[in-house]
PDB file of all heavy atoms in Angstrom:
ATOM      1  N   MET A   1       0.531   7.217  13.157  1.00  0.00           N
ATOM      2  CA  MET A   1       0.588   6.759  11.769  1.00  0.00           C
ATOM      3  C   MET A   1       1.362   7.751  10.915  1.00  0.00           C
ATOM      4  O   MET A   1       1.123   8.953  10.977  1.00  0.00           O
ATOM      5  CB  MET A   1      -0.828   6.599  11.200  1.00  0.00           C
ATOM      6  CG  MET A   1      -0.856   6.276   9.706  1.00  0.00           C
ATOM      7  SD  MET A   1      -2.501   6.273   8.952  1.00  0.00           S
ATOM      8  CE  MET A   1      -3.116   4.709   9.525  1.00  0.00           C
ATOM      9  N   ILE A   2       2.283   7.241  10.112  1.00  0.00           N
ATOM     10  CA  ILE A   2       3.006   8.070   9.164  1.00  0.00           C
ATOM     11  C   ILE A   2       2.105   8.325   7.967  1.00  0.00           C
ATOM     12  O   ILE A   2       1.430   7.418   7.464  1.00  0.00           O
ATOM     13  CB  ILE A   2       4.300   7.377   8.713  1.00  0.00           C
ATOM     14  CG1 ILE A   2       5.304   7.323   9.866  1.00  0.00           C
ATOM     15  CG2 ILE A   2       4.925   8.098   7.524  1.00  0.00           C
ATOM     16  CD1 ILE A   2       6.563   6.560   9.538  1.00  0.00           C
ATOM     17  N   SER A   3       2.086   9.569   7.493  1.00  0.00           N
ATOM     18  CA  SER A   3       1.249   9.890   6.345  1.00  0.00           C
ATOM     19  C   SER A   3       1.973  10.860   5.423  1.00  0.00           C
ATOM     20  O   SER A   3       2.582  11.822   5.877  1.00  0.00           O
ATOM     21  CB  SER A   3      -0.073  10.499   6.811  1.00  0.00           C
ATOM     22  OG  SER A   3      -0.894  10.815   5.715  1.00  0.00           O
ATOM     23  N   GLY A   4       1.901  10.585   4.116  1.00  0.00           N
ATOM     24  CA  GLY A   4       2.532  11.462   3.135  1.00  0.00           C
ATOM     25  C   GLY A   4       2.972  10.692   1.913  1.00  0.00           C
ATOM     26  O   GLY A   4       2.792   9.479   1.823  1.00  0.00           O
ATOM     27  N   SER A   5       3.536  11.397   0.952  1.00  0.00           N
ATOM     28  CA  SER A   5       3.983  10.794  -0.304  1.00  0.00           C
ATOM     29  C   SER A   5       5.492  10.930  -0.451  1.00  0.00           C
ATOM     30  O   SER A   5       6.096  11.878   0.067  1.00  0.00           O
ATOM     31  CB  SER A   5       3.293  11.472  -1.491  1.00  0.00           C
ATOM     32  OG  SER A   5       1.884  11.380  -1.375  1.00  0.00           O
ATOM     33  N   LEU A   6       6.078   9.979  -1.153  1.00  0.00           N
ATOM     34  CA  LEU A   6       7.522   9.970  -1.364  1.00  0.00           C
ATOM     35  C   LEU A   6       7.828   9.818  -2.849  1.00  0.00           C
ATOM     36  O   LEU A   6       7.150   9.067  -3.563  1.00  0.00           O
ATOM     37  CB  LEU A   6       8.171   8.819  -0.605  1.00  0.00           C
ATOM     38  CG  LEU A   6       8.151   8.905   0.923  1.00  0.00           C
ATOM     39  CD1 LEU A   6       8.478   7.539   1.529  1.00  0.00           C
ATOM     40  CD2 LEU A   6       9.137   9.951   1.418  1.00  0.00           C
ATOM     41  N   LEU A   7       8.859  10.511  -3.302  1.00  0.00           N
ATOM     42  CA  LEU A   7       9.332  10.370  -4.677  1.00  0.00           C
ATOM     43  C   LEU A   7      10.477   9.369  -4.662  1.00  0.00           C
ATOM     44  O   LEU A   7      11.556   9.650  -4.131  1.00  0.00           O
ATOM     45  CB  LEU A   7       9.802  11.720  -5.220  1.00  0.00           C
ATOM     46  CG  LEU A   7       8.795  12.878  -5.143  1.00  0.00           C
ATOM     47  CD1 LEU A   7       9.375  14.124  -5.792  1.00  0.00           C
ATOM     48  CD2 LEU A   7       7.463  12.497  -5.780  1.00  0.00           C
ATOM     49  N   ILE A   8      10.214   8.193  -5.226  1.00  0.00           N
ATOM     50  CA  ILE A   8      11.179   7.104  -5.190  1.00  0.00           C
ATOM     51  C   ILE A   8      11.817   6.892  -6.559  1.00  0.00           C
ATOM     52  O   ILE A   8      11.144   6.915  -7.591  1.00  0.00           O
ATOM     53  CB  ILE A   8      10.495   5.787  -4.738  1.00  0.00           C
ATOM     54  CG1 ILE A   8       9.908   5.952  -3.331  1.00  0.00           C
ATOM     55  CG2 ILE A   8      11.473   4.615  -4.790  1.00  0.00           C
ATOM     56  CD1 ILE A   8      10.928   6.261  -2.262  1.00  0.00           C
ATOM     57  N   ASP A   9      13.122   6.681  -6.563  1.00  0.00           N
ATOM     58  CA  ASP A   9      13.866   6.340  -7.772  1.00  0.00           C
ATOM     59  C   ASP A   9      13.914   4.813  -7.863  1.00  0.00           C
ATOM     60  O   ASP A   9      14.782   4.174  -7.282  1.00  0.00           O
ATOM     61  CB  ASP A   9      15.271   6.933  -7.700  1.00  0.00           C
ATOM     62  CG  ASP A   9      16.097   6.657  -8.949  1.00  0.00           C
ATOM     63  OD1 ASP A   9      15.573   6.012  -9.892  1.00  0.00           O
ATOM     64  OD2 ASP A   9      17.264   7.097  -8.988  1.00  0.00           O
ATOM     65  N   LYS A  10      12.952   4.242  -8.577  1.00  0.00           N
ATOM     66  CA  LYS A  10      12.851   2.791  -8.676  1.00  0.00           C
ATOM     67  C   LYS A  10      14.059   2.196  -9.401  1.00  0.00           C
ATOM     68  O   LYS A  10      14.538   2.747 -10.389  1.00  0.00           O
ATOM     69  CB  LYS A  10      11.569   2.395  -9.419  1.00  0.00           C
ATOM     70  CG  LYS A  10      11.405   0.892  -9.597  1.00  0.00           C
ATOM     71  CD  LYS A  10      10.355   0.571 -10.650  1.00  0.00           C
ATOM     72  CE  LYS A  10      10.393  -0.876 -11.073  1.00  0.00           C
ATOM     73  NZ  LYS A  10      11.666  -1.333 -11.635  1.00  0.00           N
ATOM     74  N   GLU A  11      14.510   1.049  -8.905  1.00  0.00           N
ATOM     75  CA  GLU A  11      15.662   0.373  -9.497  1.00  0.00           C
ATOM     76  C   GLU A  11      15.236  -0.674 -10.527  1.00  0.00           C
ATOM     77  O   GLU A  11      14.165  -1.279 -10.409  1.00  0.00           O
ATOM     78  CB  GLU A  11      16.491  -0.296  -8.399  1.00  0.00           C
ATOM     79  CG  GLU A  11      17.088   0.675  -7.392  1.00  0.00           C
ATOM     80  CD  GLU A  11      17.972  -0.029  -6.371  1.00  0.00           C
ATOM     81  OE1 GLU A  11      18.511  -1.100  -6.702  1.00  0.00           O
ATOM     82  OE2 GLU A  11      18.105   0.479  -5.256  1.00  0.00           O
ATOM     83  N   VAL A  12      16.081  -0.904 -11.514  1.00  0.00           N
ATOM     84  CA  VAL A  12      15.859  -1.961 -12.499  1.00  0.00           C
ATOM     85  C   VAL A  12      15.881  -3.315 -11.790  1.00  0.00           C
ATOM     86  O   VAL A  12      16.694  -3.551 -10.898  1.00  0.00           O
ATOM     87  CB  VAL A  12      16.945  -1.934 -13.600  1.00  0.00           C
ATOM     88  CG1 VAL A  12      16.823  -3.156 -14.502  1.00  0.00           C
ATOM     89  CG2 VAL A  12      16.834  -0.654 -14.421  1.00  0.00           C
ATOM     90  N   GLY A  13      14.955  -4.197 -12.154  1.00  0.00           N
ATOM     91  CA  GLY A  13      14.925  -5.539 -11.589  1.00  0.00           C
ATOM     92  C   GLY A  13      13.912  -5.724 -10.477  1.00  0.00           C
ATOM     93  O   GLY A  13      13.562  -6.855 -10.148  1.00  0.00           O
ATOM     94  N   LEU A  14      13.452  -4.622  -9.904  1.00  0.00           N
ATOM     95  CA  LEU A  14      12.444  -4.692  -8.852  1.00  0.00           C
ATOM     96  C   LEU A  14      11.071  -4.335  -9.407  1.00  0.00           C
ATOM     97  O   LEU A  14      10.951  -3.499 -10.300  1.00  0.00           O
ATOM     98  CB  LEU A  14      12.786  -3.736  -7.713  1.00  0.00           C
ATOM     99  CG  LEU A  14      14.072  -4.000  -6.925  1.00  0.00           C
ATOM    100  CD1 LEU A  14      14.238  -2.943  -5.845  1.00  0.00           C
ATOM    101  CD2 LEU A  14      14.064  -5.391  -6.312  1.00  0.00           C
ATOM    102  N   THR A  15      10.029  -4.952  -8.860  1.00  0.00           N
ATOM    103  CA  THR A  15       8.680  -4.549  -9.217  1.00  0.00           C
ATOM    104  C   THR A  15       8.333  -3.287  -8.434  1.00  0.00           C
ATOM    105  O   THR A  15       8.967  -2.964  -7.420  1.00  0.00           O
ATOM    106  CB  THR A  15       7.655  -5.647  -8.878  1.00  0.00           C
ATOM    107  OG1 THR A  15       7.601  -5.802  -7.452  1.00  0.00           O
ATOM    108  CG2 THR A  15       8.025  -6.975  -9.526  1.00  0.00           C
ATOM    109  N   SER A  16       7.311  -2.595  -8.886  1.00  0.00           N
ATOM    110  CA  SER A  16       6.856  -1.409  -8.169  1.00  0.00           C
ATOM    111  C   SER A  16       6.408  -1.787  -6.766  1.00  0.00           C
ATOM    112  O   SER A  16       6.664  -1.069  -5.798  1.00  0.00           O
ATOM    113  CB  SER A  16       5.708  -0.747  -8.934  1.00  0.00           C
ATOM    114  OG  SER A  16       6.142  -0.272 -10.189  1.00  0.00           O
ATOM    115  N   ARG A  17       5.746  -2.933  -6.641  1.00  0.00           N
ATOM    116  CA  ARG A  17       5.273  -3.385  -5.329  1.00  0.00           C
ATOM    117  C   ARG A  17       6.438  -3.677  -4.390  1.00  0.00           C
ATOM    118  O   ARG A  17       6.364  -3.380  -3.185  1.00  0.00           O
ATOM    119  CB  ARG A  17       4.422  -4.639  -5.495  1.00  0.00           C
ATOM    120  CG  ARG A  17       3.702  -5.086  -4.229  1.00  0.00           C
ATOM    121  CD  ARG A  17       2.651  -4.078  -3.804  1.00  0.00           C
ATOM    122  NE  ARG A  17       2.855  -3.599  -2.443  1.00  0.00           N
ATOM    123  CZ  ARG A  17       2.054  -2.731  -1.843  1.00  0.00           C
ATOM    124  NH1 ARG A  17       1.013  -2.237  -2.475  1.00  0.00           N
ATOM    125  NH2 ARG A  17       2.302  -2.340  -0.607  1.00  0.00           N
ATOM    126  N   GLN A  18       7.522  -4.232  -4.916  1.00  0.00           N
ATOM    127  CA  GLN A  18       8.693  -4.492  -4.074  1.00  0.00           C
ATOM    128  C   GLN A  18       9.280  -3.190  -3.532  1.00  0.00           C
ATOM    129  O   GLN A  18       9.696  -3.124  -2.366  1.00  0.00           O
ATOM    130  CB  GLN A  18       9.752  -5.259  -4.867  1.00  0.00           C
ATOM    131  CG  GLN A  18       9.412  -6.731  -5.078  1.00  0.00           C
ATOM    132  CD  GLN A  18      10.393  -7.419  -5.995  1.00  0.00           C
ATOM    133  OE1 GLN A  18      10.860  -6.849  -6.989  1.00  0.00           O
ATOM    134  NE2 GLN A  18      10.731  -8.668  -5.670  1.00  0.00           N
ATOM    135  N   GLU A  19       9.297  -2.156  -4.357  1.00  0.00           N
ATOM    136  CA  GLU A  19       9.801  -0.862  -3.899  1.00  0.00           C
ATOM    137  C   GLU A  19       8.892  -0.288  -2.813  1.00  0.00           C
ATOM    138  O   GLU A  19       9.366   0.274  -1.816  1.00  0.00           O
ATOM    139  CB  GLU A  19       9.902   0.119  -5.076  1.00  0.00           C
ATOM    140  CG  GLU A  19      11.000  -0.193  -6.077  1.00  0.00           C
ATOM    141  CD  GLU A  19      12.379   0.204  -5.586  1.00  0.00           C
ATOM    142  OE1 GLU A  19      12.627   0.201  -4.361  1.00  0.00           O
ATOM    143  OE2 GLU A  19      13.241   0.519  -6.435  1.00  0.00           O
ATOM    144  N   VAL A  20       7.581  -0.435  -3.000  1.00  0.00           N
ATOM    145  CA  VAL A  20       6.634   0.023  -1.977  1.00  0.00           C
ATOM    146  C   VAL A  20       6.871  -0.724  -0.670  1.00  0.00           C
ATOM    147  O   VAL A  20       6.898  -0.127   0.411  1.00  0.00           O
ATOM    148  CB  VAL A  20       5.183  -0.176  -2.450  1.00  0.00           C
ATOM    149  CG1 VAL A  20       4.202   0.086  -1.300  1.00  0.00           C
ATOM    150  CG2 VAL A  20       4.869   0.740  -3.624  1.00  0.00           C
ATOM    151  N   ASN A  21       7.056  -2.028  -0.768  1.00  0.00           N
ATOM    152  CA  ASN A  21       7.300  -2.832   0.438  1.00  0.00           C
ATOM    153  C   ASN A  21       8.597  -2.422   1.131  1.00  0.00           C
ATOM    154  O   ASN A  21       8.676  -2.430   2.376  1.00  0.00           O
ATOM    155  CB  ASN A  21       7.349  -4.314   0.076  1.00  0.00           C
ATOM    156  CG  ASN A  21       5.992  -4.857  -0.344  1.00  0.00           C
ATOM    157  OD1 ASN A  21       4.960  -4.247  -0.064  1.00  0.00           O
ATOM    158  ND2 ASN A  21       5.989  -5.986  -1.028  1.00  0.00           N
ATOM    159  N   ASN A  22       9.617  -2.071   0.352  1.00  0.00           N
ATOM    160  CA  ASN A  22      10.881  -1.611   0.934  1.00  0.00           C
ATOM    161  C   ASN A  22      10.661  -0.360   1.787  1.00  0.00           C
ATOM    162  O   ASN A  22      11.174  -0.236   2.903  1.00  0.00           O
ATOM    163  CB  ASN A  22      11.898  -1.308  -0.167  1.00  0.00           C
ATOM    164  CG  ASN A  22      12.423  -2.555  -0.842  1.00  0.00           C
ATOM    165  OD1 ASN A  22      12.296  -3.664  -0.312  1.00  0.00           O
ATOM    166  ND2 ASN A  22      12.995  -2.392  -2.020  1.00  0.00           N
ATOM    167  N   VAL A  23       9.895   0.584   1.237  1.00  0.00           N
ATOM    168  CA  VAL A  23       9.602   1.825   1.946  1.00  0.00           C
ATOM    169  C   VAL A  23       8.750   1.539   3.182  1.00  0.00           C
ATOM    170  O   VAL A  23       8.980   2.091   4.258  1.00  0.00           O
ATOM    171  CB  VAL A  23       8.876   2.821   1.017  1.00  0.00           C
ATOM    172  CG1 VAL A  23       8.412   4.037   1.809  1.00  0.00           C
ATOM    173  CG2 VAL A  23       9.793   3.246  -0.124  1.00  0.00           C
ATOM    174  N   SER A  24       7.755   0.670   3.009  1.00  0.00           N
ATOM    175  CA  SER A  24       6.854   0.319   4.107  1.00  0.00           C
ATOM    176  C   SER A  24       7.620  -0.256   5.300  1.00  0.00           C
ATOM    177  O   SER A  24       7.373   0.110   6.448  1.00  0.00           O
ATOM    178  CB  SER A  24       5.807  -0.690   3.606  1.00  0.00           C
ATOM    179  OG  SER A  24       4.935  -1.065   4.639  1.00  0.00           O
ATOM    180  N   ARG A  25       8.563  -1.141   5.013  1.00  0.00           N
ATOM    181  CA  ARG A  25       9.370  -1.740   6.091  1.00  0.00           C
ATOM    182  C   ARG A  25      10.293  -0.712   6.734  1.00  0.00           C
ATOM    183  O   ARG A  25      10.437  -0.664   7.959  1.00  0.00           O
ATOM    184  CB  ARG A  25      10.189  -2.919   5.546  1.00  0.00           C
ATOM    185  CG  ARG A  25       9.372  -4.178   5.296  1.00  0.00           C
ATOM    186  CD  ARG A  25      10.292  -5.358   5.032  1.00  0.00           C
ATOM    187  NE  ARG A  25      11.062  -5.177   3.813  1.00  0.00           N
ATOM    188  CZ  ARG A  25      10.664  -5.600   2.615  1.00  0.00           C
ATOM    189  NH1 ARG A  25       9.498  -6.230   2.485  1.00  0.00           N
ATOM    190  NH2 ARG A  25      11.413  -5.416   1.552  1.00  0.00           N
ATOM    191  N   LEU A  26      10.916   0.108   5.893  1.00  0.00           N
ATOM    192  CA  LEU A  26      11.878   1.085   6.400  1.00  0.00           C
ATOM    193  C   LEU A  26      11.222   2.101   7.322  1.00  0.00           C
ATOM    194  O   LEU A  26      11.764   2.438   8.393  1.00  0.00           O
ATOM    195  CB  LEU A  26      12.554   1.812   5.223  1.00  0.00           C
ATOM    196  CG  LEU A  26      13.607   2.860   5.571  1.00  0.00           C
ATOM    197  CD1 LEU A  26      14.798   2.211   6.267  1.00  0.00           C
ATOM    198  CD2 LEU A  26      14.059   3.602   4.320  1.00  0.00           C
ATOM    199  N   LEU A  27      10.041   2.578   6.941  1.00  0.00           N
ATOM    200  CA  LEU A  27       9.369   3.615   7.726  1.00  0.00           C
ATOM    201  C   LEU A  27       8.304   3.045   8.654  1.00  0.00           C
ATOM    202  O   LEU A  27       7.595   3.795   9.327  1.00  0.00           O
ATOM    203  CB  LEU A  27       8.751   4.660   6.793  1.00  0.00           C
ATOM    204  CG  LEU A  27       9.749   5.422   5.914  1.00  0.00           C
ATOM    205  CD1 LEU A  27       9.051   6.527   5.147  1.00  0.00           C
ATOM    206  CD2 LEU A  27      10.888   5.999   6.737  1.00  0.00           C
ATOM    207  N   LYS A  28       8.191   1.704   8.657  1.00  0.00           N
ATOM    208  CA  LYS A  28       7.273   1.014   9.577  1.00  0.00           C
ATOM    209  C   LYS A  28       5.825   1.502   9.438  1.00  0.00           C
ATOM    210  O   LYS A  28       5.151   1.823  10.417  1.00  0.00           O
ATOM    211  CB  LYS A  28       7.755   1.165  11.019  1.00  0.00           C
ATOM    212  CG  LYS A  28       9.114   0.529  11.280  1.00  0.00           C
ATOM    213  CD  LYS A  28       9.547   0.725  12.724  1.00  0.00           C
ATOM    214  CE  LYS A  28      10.845  -0.027  13.022  1.00  0.00           C
ATOM    215  NZ  LYS A  28      11.970   0.364  12.156  1.00  0.00           N
ATOM    216  N   GLU A  29       5.362   1.580   8.193  1.00  0.00           N
ATOM    217  CA  GLU A  29       3.982   1.950   7.914  1.00  0.00           C
ATOM    218  C   GLU A  29       3.380   0.904   6.974  1.00  0.00           C
ATOM    219  O   GLU A  29       3.796   0.777   5.821  1.00  0.00           O
ATOM    220  CB  GLU A  29       3.909   3.345   7.269  1.00  0.00           C
ATOM    221  CG  GLU A  29       2.512   3.762   6.837  1.00  0.00           C
ATOM    222  CD  GLU A  29       1.494   3.640   7.954  1.00  0.00           C
ATOM    223  OE1 GLU A  29       1.675   4.299   9.012  1.00  0.00           O
ATOM    224  OE2 GLU A  29       0.519   2.876   7.791  1.00  0.00           O
ATOM    225  N   LYS A  30       2.421   0.144   7.485  1.00  0.00           N
ATOM    226  CA  LYS A  30       1.858  -0.961   6.719  1.00  0.00           C
ATOM    227  C   LYS A  30       0.965  -0.507   5.569  1.00  0.00           C
ATOM    228  O   LYS A  30       0.890  -1.160   4.526  1.00  0.00           O
ATOM    229  CB  LYS A  30       1.070  -1.891   7.646  1.00  0.00           C
ATOM    230  CG  LYS A  30       1.936  -2.646   8.643  1.00  0.00           C
ATOM    231  CD  LYS A  30       1.095  -3.581   9.496  1.00  0.00           C
ATOM    232  CE  LYS A  30       1.962  -4.354  10.468  1.00  0.00           C
ATOM    233  NZ  LYS A  30       1.148  -5.280  11.318  1.00  0.00           N
ATOM    234  N   LYS A  31       0.269   0.604   5.766  1.00  0.00           N
ATOM    235  CA  LYS A  31      -0.646   1.079   4.734  1.00  0.00           C
ATOM    236  C   LYS A  31       0.150   1.848   3.685  1.00  0.00           C
ATOM    237  O   LYS A  31       0.629   2.958   3.935  1.00  0.00           O
ATOM    238  CB  LYS A  31      -1.721   1.969   5.352  1.00  0.00           C
ATOM    239  CG  LYS A  31      -2.892   2.243   4.434  1.00  0.00           C
ATOM    240  CD  LYS A  31      -4.011   2.958   5.172  1.00  0.00           C
ATOM    241  CE  LYS A  31      -5.224   3.135   4.267  1.00  0.00           C
ATOM    242  NZ  LYS A  31      -6.340   3.819   4.967  1.00  0.00           N
ATOM    243  N   ALA A  32       0.317   1.247   2.521  1.00  0.00           N
ATOM    244  CA  ALA A  32       1.178   1.855   1.500  1.00  0.00           C
ATOM    245  C   ALA A  32       0.713   1.471   0.109  1.00  0.00           C
ATOM    246  O   ALA A  32       0.190   0.383  -0.122  1.00  0.00           O
ATOM    247  CB  ALA A  32       2.627   1.413   1.703  1.00  0.00           C
ATOM    248  N   GLY A  33       0.895   2.369  -0.841  1.00  0.00           N
ATOM    249  CA  GLY A  33       0.547   2.115  -2.237  1.00  0.00           C
ATOM    250  C   GLY A  33       1.420   2.960  -3.143  1.00  0.00           C
ATOM    251  O   GLY A  33       2.356   3.623  -2.685  1.00  0.00           O
ATOM    252  N   HIS A  34       1.127   2.952  -4.441  1.00  0.00           N
ATOM    253  CA  HIS A  34       1.934   3.724  -5.378  1.00  0.00           C
ATOM    254  C   HIS A  34       1.100   4.213  -6.552  1.00  0.00           C
ATOM    255  O   HIS A  34      -0.004   3.729  -6.788  1.00  0.00           O
ATOM    256  CB  HIS A  34       3.116   2.890  -5.896  1.00  0.00           C
ATOM    257  CG  HIS A  34       2.707   1.751  -6.782  1.00  0.00           C
ATOM    258  ND1 HIS A  34       2.289   0.538  -6.282  1.00  0.00           N
ATOM    259  CD2 HIS A  34       2.651   1.641  -8.129  1.00  0.00           C
ATOM    260  CE1 HIS A  34       1.999  -0.274  -7.285  1.00  0.00           C
ATOM    261  NE2 HIS A  34       2.206   0.375  -8.410  1.00  0.00           N
ATOM    262  N   ILE A  35       1.652   5.167  -7.285  1.00  0.00           N
ATOM    263  CA  ILE A  35       1.018   5.722  -8.479  1.00  0.00           C
ATOM    264  C   ILE A  35       1.835   5.328  -9.705  1.00  0.00           C
ATOM    265  O   ILE A  35       3.032   5.581  -9.763  1.00  0.00           O
ATOM    266  CB  ILE A  35       0.952   7.268  -8.398  1.00  0.00           C
ATOM    267  CG1 ILE A  35       0.108   7.701  -7.204  1.00  0.00           C
ATOM    268  CG2 ILE A  35       0.384   7.846  -9.690  1.00  0.00           C
ATOM    269  CD1 ILE A  35      -1.318   7.266  -7.259  1.00  0.00           C
ATOM    270  N   GLY A  36       1.186   4.721 -10.687  1.00  0.00           N
ATOM    271  CA  GLY A  36       1.858   4.418 -11.949  1.00  0.00           C
ATOM    272  C   GLY A  36       2.835   3.272 -11.843  1.00  0.00           C
ATOM    273  O   GLY A  36       3.984   3.457 -11.429  1.00  0.00           O
ATOM    274  N   THR A  37       2.413   2.083 -12.222  1.00  0.00           N
ATOM    275  CA  THR A  37       3.277   0.900 -12.161  1.00  0.00           C
ATOM    276  C   THR A  37       4.390   0.982 -13.195  1.00  0.00           C
ATOM    277  O   THR A  37       4.166   1.351 -14.349  1.00  0.00           O
ATOM    278  CB  THR A  37       2.444  -0.376 -12.406  1.00  0.00           C
ATOM    279  OG1 THR A  37       1.443  -0.474 -11.396  1.00  0.00           O
ATOM    280  CG2 THR A  37       3.319  -1.612 -12.369  1.00  0.00           C
ATOM    281  N   LEU A  38       5.591   0.631 -12.779  1.00  0.00           N
ATOM    282  CA  LEU A  38       6.733   0.503 -13.687  1.00  0.00           C
ATOM    283  C   LEU A  38       7.106  -0.971 -13.791  1.00  0.00           C
ATOM    284  O   LEU A  38       7.157  -1.680 -12.784  1.00  0.00           O
ATOM    285  CB  LEU A  38       7.947   1.283 -13.177  1.00  0.00           C
ATOM    286  CG  LEU A  38       7.949   2.792 -13.405  1.00  0.00           C
ATOM    287  CD1 LEU A  38       9.135   3.424 -12.673  1.00  0.00           C
ATOM    288  CD2 LEU A  38       8.006   3.133 -14.886  1.00  0.00           C
ATOM    289  N   ASP A  39       7.364  -1.448 -15.011  1.00  0.00           N
ATOM    290  CA  ASP A  39       7.785  -2.832 -15.211  1.00  0.00           C
ATOM    291  C   ASP A  39       9.133  -3.073 -14.524  1.00  0.00           C
ATOM    292  O   ASP A  39       9.923  -2.134 -14.349  1.00  0.00           O
ATOM    293  CB  ASP A  39       7.931  -3.136 -16.701  1.00  0.00           C
ATOM    294  CG  ASP A  39       6.597  -3.053 -17.435  1.00  0.00           C
ATOM    295  OD1 ASP A  39       5.578  -3.445 -16.848  1.00  0.00           O
ATOM    296  OD2 ASP A  39       6.596  -2.600 -18.591  1.00  0.00           O
ATOM    297  N   PRO A  40       9.419  -4.323 -14.160  1.00  0.00           N
ATOM    298  CA  PRO A  40      10.703  -4.613 -13.507  1.00  0.00           C
ATOM    299  C   PRO A  40      11.921  -4.154 -14.318  1.00  0.00           C
ATOM    300  O   PRO A  40      12.921  -3.710 -13.729  1.00  0.00           O
ATOM    301  CB  PRO A  40      10.674  -6.143 -13.375  1.00  0.00           C
ATOM    302  CG  PRO A  40       9.226  -6.464 -13.232  1.00  0.00           C
ATOM    303  CD  PRO A  40       8.527  -5.499 -14.155  1.00  0.00           C
ATOM    304  N   PHE A  41      11.848  -4.219 -15.657  1.00  0.00           N
ATOM    305  CA  PHE A  41      13.017  -3.840 -16.464  1.00  0.00           C
ATOM    306  C   PHE A  41      13.209  -2.320 -16.509  1.00  0.00           C
ATOM    307  O   PHE A  41      14.277  -1.837 -16.906  1.00  0.00           O
ATOM    308  CB  PHE A  41      12.879  -4.396 -17.885  1.00  0.00           C
ATOM    309  CG  PHE A  41      12.307  -3.445 -18.898  1.00  0.00           C
ATOM    310  CD1 PHE A  41      13.121  -2.752 -19.771  1.00  0.00           C
ATOM    311  CD2 PHE A  41      10.936  -3.236 -18.969  1.00  0.00           C
ATOM    312  CE1 PHE A  41      12.585  -1.871 -20.694  1.00  0.00           C
ATOM    313  CE2 PHE A  41      10.385  -2.375 -19.890  1.00  0.00           C
ATOM    314  CZ  PHE A  41      11.218  -1.681 -20.762  1.00  0.00           C
ATOM    315  N   ALA A  42      12.185  -1.557 -16.098  1.00  0.00           N
ATOM    316  CA  ALA A  42      12.241  -0.099 -16.146  1.00  0.00           C
ATOM    317  C   ALA A  42      12.702   0.481 -14.816  1.00  0.00           C
ATOM    318  O   ALA A  42      12.629  -0.169 -13.770  1.00  0.00           O
ATOM    319  CB  ALA A  42      10.867   0.457 -16.508  1.00  0.00           C
ATOM    320  N   ASP A  43      13.177   1.715 -14.859  1.00  0.00           N
ATOM    321  CA  ASP A  43      13.541   2.422 -13.636  1.00  0.00           C
ATOM    322  C   ASP A  43      12.936   3.820 -13.682  1.00  0.00           C
ATOM    323  O   ASP A  43      12.211   4.178 -14.602  1.00  0.00           O
ATOM    324  CB  ASP A  43      15.062   2.469 -13.443  1.00  0.00           C
ATOM    325  CG  ASP A  43      15.787   3.194 -14.569  1.00  0.00           C
ATOM    326  OD1 ASP A  43      15.118   3.723 -15.482  1.00  0.00           O
ATOM    327  OD2 ASP A  43      17.034   3.235 -14.559  1.00  0.00           O
ATOM    328  N   GLY A  44      13.232   4.607 -12.649  1.00  0.00           N
ATOM    329  CA  GLY A  44      12.762   5.981 -12.657  1.00  0.00           C
ATOM    330  C   GLY A  44      11.748   6.295 -11.585  1.00  0.00           C
ATOM    331  O   GLY A  44      11.614   5.579 -10.589  1.00  0.00           O
TER     332      GLY A  44
END
C-alpha cells in the first residue's frame, strides 16, 4: 500500500475530488482523501 501526502496544484475547472481521483488512478492507491476543499473555479 502506498502511504503519504502530496502537495497538489489544483487546476481551475476541476473539483477537489476529481484531483484526488486523478492522483489515486496515477499511483494506483484506492484509499485517498484531501484537506480543504477548493471550488471548481479556484486553483492552488
Side-chain angles (χ1 to χ4, degrees):
M1 173 187 283
I2 291 175
S3 180
S5 302
L6 292 165
L7 306 183
I8 299 298
D9 182 1
K10 179 196 167 301
E11 297 183 26
V12 172
L14 296 180
T15 66
S16 296
R17 189 66 237 181
Q18 285 173 321
E19 290 283 29
V20 171
N21 291 342
N22 288 343
V23 173
S24 179
R25 285 191 296 269
L26 181 64
L27 298 186
K28 297 179 175 58
E29 175 53 59
K30 292 182 179 180
K31 194 172 184 179
H34 68 277
I35 298 298
T37 300
L38 281 172
D39 295 323
F41 96 100
D43 61 3

